[in-house]
Amino acid sequence: MIKDIATPVRTKAILEKYGFSFKKSLGQNFLIEPNVLSRIVDHANVTDKTGVIEIGPGIGALTEQLARRAKKVVAFEIDKRLLPILNETLSPYENITVIHQDVLEADLKKAIEENFSDCEGIMVVANLPYYVTTPIIMKLLEDKLPLKGIVVMLQKEVADRISASPSTKEYGSLSIAVQYYTEAKTVMTVPKTVFVPQPNVDSAIIRLLVRDKPTVEVEDEDFFFQIVRASFAQRRKTLLNNLVHFIPNGKELKAKIEETLEHVEVDGKRRGESLSIEEFAKLSDALAKVVK
Ligand code: SAM
């Protein structure tokens, strides 16, 4: 068995050999605890048939654990300085492709078609760069990729927002956006000590299982999300106030918005954070008829 990259001793030796310095601006906090890495892979249910997309392989700590269990791993890394390192650390594995690209600019649909035609079940597994956690997760979901799920390490605070229920302070448009597409669960919290350098915030691993179809059926997805965002625009304001102020032409349409709220039996004096996804769906379908 080859020695794990993710031990403190081996990580230190690799970083010293290449004179690598961490870039905080790229969210570079590398994992140095093999047990945490294998738990991530466990939670992703990776088998020898799985195709895995990894975001930000770093020096390959998670990539190698994935390669040992998956059929194929395609890893997107933005930092050019890591390419020669990955070339060396991952040389024992033949089922890994490293792509030097910002994942937010990548054509992931094409990457999946080109790399995973012989795989059954595609997962995204990553220790995410924290400065772009939300844009990455939203891209993965909004691109409607043929994914089975996403298992990622992220800030605990973001994991809490993603899996929040109505009427909690964490519940917001991110909870609704992610829960619309997936079944979301925080599976593990992770101490700062398993990273080098240690991040300033607590971390967690979240598992998002992509639904066959969204939680609710809405007539116009874009409009649904527009209504959700408007409803949370100012959390202290009532639902009616937010809708009036944050829907285009809301002020002129105030009477109609009030009428619609009454019609769908949602009290305009409630706060957006108390509405379930089902209530938002009902409301946006009804508002679409008067506002659009
Ligand atoms: N996977 C490694 C580990 O667990 O030790 C490194 C994880 S580190 C938290 C995040 C990695 O993402 C870094 O290697 C960083 O260079 C890379 N990265 C940052 N922004 C990126 C982006 N937009 N696209 C692809 N990779 C990115």
Short mmCIF file of all heavy atoms in Angstrom, two decimals, residues 115-167:
data_model
loop_
_atom_site.label_atom_id
_atom_site.label_comp_id
_atom_site.label_asym_id
_atom_site.label_seq_id
_atom_site.Cartn_x
_atom_site.Cartn_y
_atom_site.Cartn_z
N ASN A 115 -15.76 11.94 -19.94
CA ASN A 115 -14.99 11.09 -19.03
C ASN A 115 -15.74 9.94 -18.38
O ASN A 115 -15.13 8.98 -17.94
CB ASN A 115 -14.39 11.95 -17.91
CG ASN A 115 -13.31 12.86 -18.42
OD1 ASN A 115 -12.19 12.41 -18.68
ND2 ASN A 115 -13.64 14.13 -18.60
N PHE A 116 -17.07 10.10 -18.27
CA PHE A 116 -17.77 9.13 -17.42
C PHE A 116 -18.78 8.25 -18.16
O PHE A 116 -19.70 7.74 -17.53
CB PHE A 116 -18.48 9.87 -16.27
CG PHE A 116 -17.56 10.61 -15.34
CD1 PHE A 116 -17.89 11.87 -14.84
CD2 PHE A 116 -16.35 10.05 -14.93
CE1 PHE A 116 -17.05 12.54 -13.97
CE2 PHE A 116 -15.51 10.72 -14.06
CZ PHE A 116 -15.85 11.97 -13.58
N SER A 117 -18.62 8.07 -19.47
CA SER A 117 -19.62 7.29 -20.21
C SER A 117 -19.67 5.83 -19.71
O SER A 117 -20.70 5.19 -19.80
CB SER A 117 -19.34 7.35 -21.71
OG SER A 117 -18.04 6.88 -21.93
N ASP A 118 -18.56 5.35 -19.16
CA ASP A 118 -18.55 3.96 -18.67
C ASP A 118 -18.74 3.87 -17.16
O ASP A 118 -18.46 2.85 -16.55
CB ASP A 118 -17.23 3.28 -19.08
CG ASP A 118 -16.01 4.08 -18.61
OD1 ASP A 118 -16.18 5.23 -18.15
OD2 ASP A 118 -14.90 3.54 -18.68
N CYS A 119 -19.24 4.96 -16.54
CA CYS A 119 -19.45 4.94 -15.09
C CYS A 119 -20.94 4.82 -14.76
O CYS A 119 -21.79 5.20 -15.56
CB CYS A 119 -18.93 6.23 -14.45
SG CYS A 119 -17.15 6.38 -14.60
N GLU A 120 -21.21 4.30 -13.57
CA GLU A 120 -22.60 4.25 -13.09
C GLU A 120 -22.69 5.11 -11.85
O GLU A 120 -22.16 4.75 -10.80
CB GLU A 120 -22.99 2.81 -12.74
CG GLU A 120 -23.38 1.97 -13.92
CD GLU A 120 -23.58 0.52 -13.51
OE1 GLU A 120 -24.02 0.25 -12.38
OE2 GLU A 120 -23.27 -0.34 -14.37
N GLY A 121 -23.33 6.27 -11.97
CA GLY A 121 -23.45 7.16 -10.81
C GLY A 121 -22.29 8.14 -10.78
O GLY A 121 -21.13 7.74 -10.75
N ILE A 122 -22.63 9.42 -10.83
CA ILE A 122 -21.58 10.45 -10.80
C ILE A 122 -21.75 11.28 -9.55
O ILE A 122 -22.84 11.77 -9.25
CB ILE A 122 -21.65 11.32 -12.07
CG1 ILE A 122 -21.40 10.44 -13.29
CG2 ILE A 122 -20.64 12.47 -12.02
CD1 ILE A 122 -21.95 10.99 -14.55
N MET A 123 -20.65 11.43 -8.81
CA MET A 123 -20.68 12.20 -7.56
C MET A 123 -19.68 13.36 -7.66
O MET A 123 -18.64 13.22 -8.30
CB MET A 123 -20.23 11.32 -6.39
CG MET A 123 -21.13 10.16 -6.04
SD MET A 123 -22.73 10.67 -5.36
CE MET A 123 -22.28 11.50 -3.84
N VAL A 124 -20.01 14.46 -7.00
CA VAL A 124 -19.01 15.51 -6.78
C VAL A 124 -18.55 15.35 -5.34
O VAL A 124 -19.38 15.28 -4.42
CB VAL A 124 -19.60 16.91 -7.00
CG1 VAL A 124 -18.59 17.98 -6.58
CG2 VAL A 124 -20.01 17.11 -8.45
N VAL A 125 -17.25 15.24 -5.15
CA VAL A 125 -16.70 15.08 -3.80
C VAL A 125 -15.54 16.07 -3.67
O VAL A 125 -14.66 16.10 -4.55
CB VAL A 125 -16.19 13.64 -3.56
CG1 VAL A 125 -15.75 13.47 -2.11
CG2 VAL A 125 -17.28 12.61 -3.90
N ALA A 126 -15.54 16.88 -2.62
CA ALA A 126 -14.49 17.89 -2.50
C ALA A 126 -14.38 18.45 -1.11
O ALA A 126 -15.34 18.43 -0.32
CB ALA A 126 -14.79 19.04 -3.47
N ASN A 127 -13.19 18.97 -0.83
CA ASN A 127 -12.97 19.85 0.30
C ASN A 127 -12.93 21.23 -0.34
O ASN A 127 -11.92 21.63 -0.93
CB ASN A 127 -11.64 19.48 0.97
CG ASN A 127 -11.19 20.49 2.00
OD1 ASN A 127 -11.99 21.28 2.50
ND2 ASN A 127 -9.90 20.46 2.33
N LEU A 128 -14.06 21.93 -0.30
CA LEU A 128 -14.22 23.13 -1.14
C LEU A 128 -13.36 24.31 -0.69
O LEU A 128 -13.11 24.47 0.51
CB LEU A 128 -15.69 23.58 -1.11
CG LEU A 128 -16.69 22.69 -1.84
CD1 LEU A 128 -18.11 23.25 -1.66
CD2 LEU A 128 -16.38 22.56 -3.32
N PRO A 129 -12.93 25.14 -1.66
CA PRO A 129 -12.33 26.42 -1.29
C PRO A 129 -13.44 27.32 -0.73
O PRO A 129 -14.42 27.59 -1.43
CB PRO A 129 -11.78 26.96 -2.62
CG PRO A 129 -12.50 26.21 -3.71
CD PRO A 129 -13.01 24.94 -3.12
N TYR A 130 -13.30 27.75 0.54
CA TYR A 130 -14.43 28.38 1.23
C TYR A 130 -14.85 29.73 0.66
O TYR A 130 -15.97 30.15 0.85
CB TYR A 130 -14.13 28.51 2.74
CG TYR A 130 -14.10 27.18 3.47
CD1 TYR A 130 -13.80 27.12 4.83
CD2 TYR A 130 -14.38 25.98 2.82
CE1 TYR A 130 -13.78 25.89 5.51
CE2 TYR A 130 -14.35 24.77 3.49
CZ TYR A 130 -14.04 24.73 4.83
OH TYR A 130 -14.03 23.53 5.50
N TYR A 131 -13.95 30.41 -0.07
CA TYR A 131 -14.35 31.73 -0.58
C TYR A 131 -15.37 31.63 -1.72
O TYR A 131 -15.96 32.63 -2.10
CB TYR A 131 -13.12 32.53 -1.03
CG TYR A 131 -12.54 32.07 -2.37
CD1 TYR A 131 -12.74 32.80 -3.54
CD2 TYR A 131 -11.82 30.87 -2.46
CE1 TYR A 131 -12.22 32.37 -4.75
CE2 TYR A 131 -11.31 30.44 -3.66
CZ TYR A 131 -11.51 31.18 -4.80
OH TYR A 131 -11.01 30.75 -6.00
N VAL A 132 -15.56 30.43 -2.27
CA VAL A 132 -16.54 30.28 -3.36
C VAL A 132 -17.50 29.09 -3.15
O VAL A 132 -18.05 28.57 -4.11
CB VAL A 132 -15.88 30.10 -4.75
CG1 VAL A 132 -15.61 31.40 -5.43
CG2 VAL A 132 -14.66 29.20 -4.70
N THR A 133 -17.73 28.72 -1.91
CA THR A 133 -18.59 27.57 -1.62
C THR A 133 -19.97 27.70 -2.29
O THR A 133 -20.40 26.80 -3.02
CB THR A 133 -18.84 27.46 -0.09
OG1 THR A 133 -17.59 27.43 0.56
CG2 THR A 133 -19.61 26.22 0.25
N THR A 134 -20.64 28.82 -2.04
CA THR A 134 -22.02 28.94 -2.53
C THR A 134 -22.09 28.99 -4.06
O THR A 134 -22.88 28.25 -4.65
CB THR A 134 -22.71 30.16 -1.88
OG1 THR A 134 -22.53 30.05 -0.47
CG2 THR A 134 -24.19 30.18 -2.19
N PRO A 135 -21.27 29.83 -4.73
CA PRO A 135 -21.33 29.81 -6.20
C PRO A 135 -21.06 28.42 -6.79
O PRO A 135 -21.70 28.02 -7.77
CB PRO A 135 -20.24 30.79 -6.64
CG PRO A 135 -19.93 31.61 -5.45
CD PRO A 135 -20.36 30.88 -4.23
N ILE A 136 -20.13 27.67 -6.17
CA ILE A 136 -19.84 26.33 -6.71
C ILE A 136 -21.06 25.42 -6.55
O ILE A 136 -21.49 24.77 -7.51
CB ILE A 136 -18.59 25.70 -6.04
CG1 ILE A 136 -17.32 26.44 -6.46
CG2 ILE A 136 -18.47 24.21 -6.40
CD1 ILE A 136 -16.04 25.97 -5.76
N ILE A 137 -21.63 25.39 -5.37
CA ILE A 137 -22.79 24.50 -5.15
C ILE A 137 -23.94 24.92 -6.07
O ILE A 137 -24.59 24.07 -6.70
CB ILE A 137 -23.22 24.52 -3.66
CG1 ILE A 137 -22.12 23.82 -2.84
CG2 ILE A 137 -24.56 23.81 -3.47
CD1 ILE A 137 -22.37 23.76 -1.36
N MET A 138 -24.19 26.21 -6.21
CA MET A 138 -25.30 26.64 -7.07
C MET A 138 -25.03 26.32 -8.54
O MET A 138 -25.94 25.95 -9.26
CB MET A 138 -25.58 28.15 -6.88
CG MET A 138 -26.19 28.50 -5.53
SD MET A 138 -27.41 27.32 -4.90
CE MET A 138 -28.70 27.39 -6.13
N LYS A 139 -23.77 26.43 -8.96
CA LYS A 139 -23.46 26.06 -10.35
C LYS A 139 -23.74 24.56 -10.57
O LYS A 139 -24.34 24.17 -11.56
CB LYS A 139 -21.99 26.37 -10.67
CG LYS A 139 -21.57 25.89 -12.07
CD LYS A 139 -20.08 26.07 -12.28
CE LYS A 139 -19.58 25.30 -13.47
NZ LYS A 139 -19.61 25.99 -14.73
N LEU A 140 -23.30 23.74 -9.63
CA LEU A 140 -23.49 22.28 -9.77
C LEU A 140 -24.98 21.96 -9.90
O LEU A 140 -25.37 21.07 -10.66
CB LEU A 140 -22.90 21.54 -8.57
CG LEU A 140 -21.38 21.63 -8.41
CD1 LEU A 140 -20.94 21.04 -7.07
CD2 LEU A 140 -20.67 20.91 -9.56
N LEU A 141 -25.81 22.69 -9.15
CA LEU A 141 -27.25 22.38 -9.16
C LEU A 141 -27.96 23.04 -10.35
O LEU A 141 -28.77 22.40 -11.02
CB LEU A 141 -27.89 22.83 -7.84
CG LEU A 141 -27.33 22.13 -6.60
CD1 LEU A 141 -27.92 22.73 -5.34
CD2 LEU A 141 -27.59 20.63 -6.66
N GLU A 142 -27.64 24.30 -10.60
CA GLU A 142 -28.37 25.01 -11.66
C GLU A 142 -28.00 24.53 -13.06
O GLU A 142 -28.80 24.63 -13.99
CB GLU A 142 -28.13 26.53 -11.53
CG GLU A 142 -28.90 27.11 -10.36
CD GLU A 142 -28.53 28.54 -10.02
OE1 GLU A 142 -27.57 29.07 -10.62
OE2 GLU A 142 -29.20 29.12 -9.14
N ASP A 143 -26.80 23.97 -13.21
CA ASP A 143 -26.42 23.42 -14.52
C ASP A 143 -27.17 22.11 -14.82
O ASP A 143 -27.05 21.55 -15.90
CB ASP A 143 -24.91 23.14 -14.58
CG ASP A 143 -24.11 24.41 -14.84
OD1 ASP A 143 -24.73 25.49 -14.92
OD2 ASP A 143 -22.86 24.32 -14.95
N LYS A 144 -27.91 21.64 -13.82
CA LYS A 144 -28.71 20.41 -13.97
C LYS A 144 -27.87 19.26 -14.53
O LYS A 144 -28.22 18.63 -15.53
CB LYS A 144 -29.95 20.68 -14.82
CG LYS A 144 -30.84 21.77 -14.24
CD LYS A 144 -32.26 21.69 -14.75
CE LYS A 144 -33.28 22.43 -13.94
NZ LYS A 144 -33.14 23.80 -13.67
N LEU A 145 -26.76 19.02 -13.87
CA LEU A 145 -25.85 17.96 -14.29
C LEU A 145 -26.43 16.61 -13.88
O LEU A 145 -27.17 16.53 -12.90
CB LEU A 145 -24.49 18.17 -13.62
CG LEU A 145 -23.83 19.52 -13.88
CD1 LEU A 145 -22.63 19.73 -12.97
CD2 LEU A 145 -23.41 19.63 -15.34
N PRO A 146 -26.07 15.56 -14.61
CA PRO A 146 -26.59 14.24 -14.24
C PRO A 146 -25.87 13.64 -13.03
O PRO A 146 -25.20 12.63 -13.13
CB PRO A 146 -26.34 13.42 -15.51
CG PRO A 146 -25.15 14.06 -16.14
CD PRO A 146 -25.20 15.52 -15.79
N LEU A 147 -26.01 14.31 -11.87
CA LEU A 147 -25.28 13.88 -10.67
C LEU A 147 -26.18 13.05 -9.76
O LEU A 147 -27.38 13.31 -9.66
CB LEU A 147 -24.82 15.10 -9.86
CG LEU A 147 -23.89 16.09 -10.51
CD1 LEU A 147 -23.64 17.26 -9.56
CD2 LEU A 147 -22.57 15.41 -10.88
N LYS A 148 -25.57 12.08 -9.09
CA LYS A 148 -26.30 11.35 -8.05
C LYS A 148 -26.26 12.18 -6.76
O LYS A 148 -27.23 12.25 -6.02
CB LYS A 148 -25.59 10.02 -7.81
CG LYS A 148 -26.51 8.92 -7.42
CD LYS A 148 -25.81 7.59 -7.58
CE LYS A 148 -25.75 6.92 -6.23
NZ LYS A 148 -24.88 5.76 -6.20
N GLY A 149 -25.14 12.81 -6.54
CA GLY A 149 -25.06 13.61 -5.32
C GLY A 149 -23.77 14.39 -5.19
O GLY A 149 -22.87 14.30 -6.05
N ILE A 150 -23.71 15.16 -4.10
CA ILE A 150 -22.56 16.03 -3.83
C ILE A 150 -22.20 15.84 -2.36
O ILE A 150 -23.08 15.98 -1.50
CB ILE A 150 -22.97 17.51 -4.07
CG1 ILE A 150 -23.42 17.71 -5.52
CG2 ILE A 150 -21.86 18.47 -3.67
CD1 ILE A 150 -24.09 19.06 -5.79
N VAL A 151 -20.95 15.49 -2.09
CA VAL A 151 -20.52 15.38 -0.69
C VAL A 151 -19.31 16.29 -0.54
O VAL A 151 -18.27 16.05 -1.16
CB VAL A 151 -20.17 13.92 -0.32
CG1 VAL A 151 -19.56 13.85 1.09
CG2 VAL A 151 -21.42 13.06 -0.38
N VAL A 152 -19.47 17.35 0.24
CA VAL A 152 -18.38 18.32 0.33
C VAL A 152 -18.15 18.81 1.75
O VAL A 152 -19.06 18.88 2.56
CB VAL A 152 -18.66 19.56 -0.58
CG1 VAL A 152 -18.41 19.23 -2.03
CG2 VAL A 152 -20.04 20.13 -0.37
N MET A 153 -16.89 19.18 1.97
CA MET A 153 -16.50 19.86 3.21
C MET A 153 -16.70 21.35 2.97
O MET A 153 -16.30 21.87 1.92
CB MET A 153 -15.02 19.59 3.47
CG MET A 153 -14.47 20.33 4.64
SD MET A 153 -14.60 19.38 6.13
CE MET A 153 -13.32 18.21 5.87
N LEU A 154 -17.33 22.04 3.91
CA LEU A 154 -17.53 23.48 3.78
C LEU A 154 -17.61 24.11 5.17
O LEU A 154 -17.48 23.41 6.17
CB LEU A 154 -18.79 23.80 2.95
CG LEU A 154 -20.02 22.90 3.03
CD1 LEU A 154 -20.50 22.73 4.43
CD2 LEU A 154 -21.13 23.40 2.18
N GLN A 155 -17.84 25.43 5.21
CA GLN A 155 -17.94 26.10 6.51
C GLN A 155 -19.19 25.55 7.21
O GLN A 155 -20.25 25.46 6.59
CB GLN A 155 -18.12 27.61 6.33
CG GLN A 155 -17.08 28.31 5.51
CD GLN A 155 -17.49 28.39 4.04
OE1 GLN A 155 -17.88 27.39 3.43
NE2 GLN A 155 -17.39 29.56 3.46
N LYS A 156 -19.09 25.28 8.51
CA LYS A 156 -20.24 24.74 9.25
C LYS A 156 -21.43 25.69 9.14
O LYS A 156 -22.58 25.25 8.98
CB LYS A 156 -19.85 24.51 10.71
CG LYS A 156 -20.99 23.90 11.48
CD LYS A 156 -20.63 23.56 12.90
CE LYS A 156 -21.88 23.07 13.62
NZ LYS A 156 -22.95 24.07 13.69
N GLU A 157 -21.13 26.97 9.17
CA GLU A 157 -22.20 27.98 9.11
C GLU A 157 -22.99 27.87 7.79
O GLU A 157 -24.21 28.01 7.77
CB GLU A 157 -21.52 29.35 9.29
CG GLU A 157 -22.32 30.58 9.07
CD GLU A 157 -22.07 31.22 7.72
OE1 GLU A 157 -20.91 31.20 7.24
OE2 GLU A 157 -23.04 31.73 7.13
N VAL A 158 -22.28 27.56 6.70
CA VAL A 158 -22.98 27.41 5.40
C VAL A 158 -23.76 26.10 5.38
O VAL A 158 -24.89 26.04 4.89
CB VAL A 158 -21.98 27.49 4.22
CG1 VAL A 158 -22.70 27.31 2.89
CG2 VAL A 158 -21.22 28.81 4.23
N ALA A 159 -23.16 25.04 5.96
CA ALA A 159 -23.87 23.75 6.04
C ALA A 159 -25.17 23.93 6.83
O ALA A 159 -26.22 23.40 6.45
CB ALA A 159 -22.98 22.70 6.71
N ASP A 160 -25.10 24.71 7.92
CA ASP A 160 -26.31 24.94 8.73
C ASP A 160 -27.36 25.69 7.93
O ASP A 160 -28.55 25.40 8.03
CB ASP A 160 -25.96 25.77 9.99
CG ASP A 160 -25.14 24.96 10.98
OD1 ASP A 160 -25.09 23.72 10.85
OD2 ASP A 160 -24.55 25.58 11.89
N ARG A 161 -26.93 26.66 7.12
CA ARG A 161 -27.91 27.42 6.32
C ARG A 161 -28.54 26.54 5.25
O ARG A 161 -29.73 26.61 4.99
CB ARG A 161 -27.22 28.64 5.67
CG ARG A 161 -26.96 29.74 6.68
CD ARG A 161 -26.81 31.07 6.00
NE ARG A 161 -25.46 31.23 5.47
CZ ARG A 161 -25.20 31.66 4.25
NH1 ARG A 161 -26.16 31.96 3.40
NH2 ARG A 161 -23.95 31.78 3.85
N ILE A 162 -27.71 25.67 4.65
CA ILE A 162 -28.23 24.81 3.57
C ILE A 162 -29.29 23.85 4.11
O ILE A 162 -30.33 23.64 3.49
CB ILE A 162 -27.06 24.02 2.93
CG1 ILE A 162 -26.26 24.97 2.03
CG2 ILE A 162 -27.57 22.83 2.12
CD1 ILE A 162 -25.04 24.34 1.38
N SER A 163 -29.04 23.26 5.28
CA SER A 163 -29.98 22.23 5.75
C SER A 163 -31.03 22.77 6.72
O SER A 163 -31.75 22.00 7.34
CB SER A 163 -29.19 21.06 6.36
OG SER A 163 -28.24 21.56 7.26
N ALA A 164 -31.16 24.11 6.80
CA ALA A 164 -32.08 24.70 7.79
C ALA A 164 -33.56 24.48 7.46
O ALA A 164 -33.95 24.34 6.30
CB ALA A 164 -31.80 26.20 7.88
N SER A 165 -34.37 24.47 8.52
CA SER A 165 -35.83 24.36 8.38
C SER A 165 -36.45 25.74 8.55
O SER A 165 -35.85 26.63 9.16
CB SER A 165 -36.40 23.45 9.45
OG SER A 165 -35.71 22.25 9.47
N PRO A 166 -37.72 25.91 8.06
CA PRO A 166 -38.40 27.20 8.22
C PRO A 166 -38.44 27.66 9.68
O PRO A 166 -38.38 26.83 10.60
CB PRO A 166 -39.83 26.92 7.71
CG PRO A 166 -39.69 25.75 6.80
CD PRO A 166 -38.54 24.94 7.31
N SER A 167 -38.55 28.97 9.84
CA SER A 167 -38.64 29.61 11.17
C SER A 167 -37.40 29.43 12.03
O SER A 167 -37.48 29.42 13.26
CB SER A 167 -39.88 29.11 11.94
OG SER A 167 -41.02 29.45 11.23
#
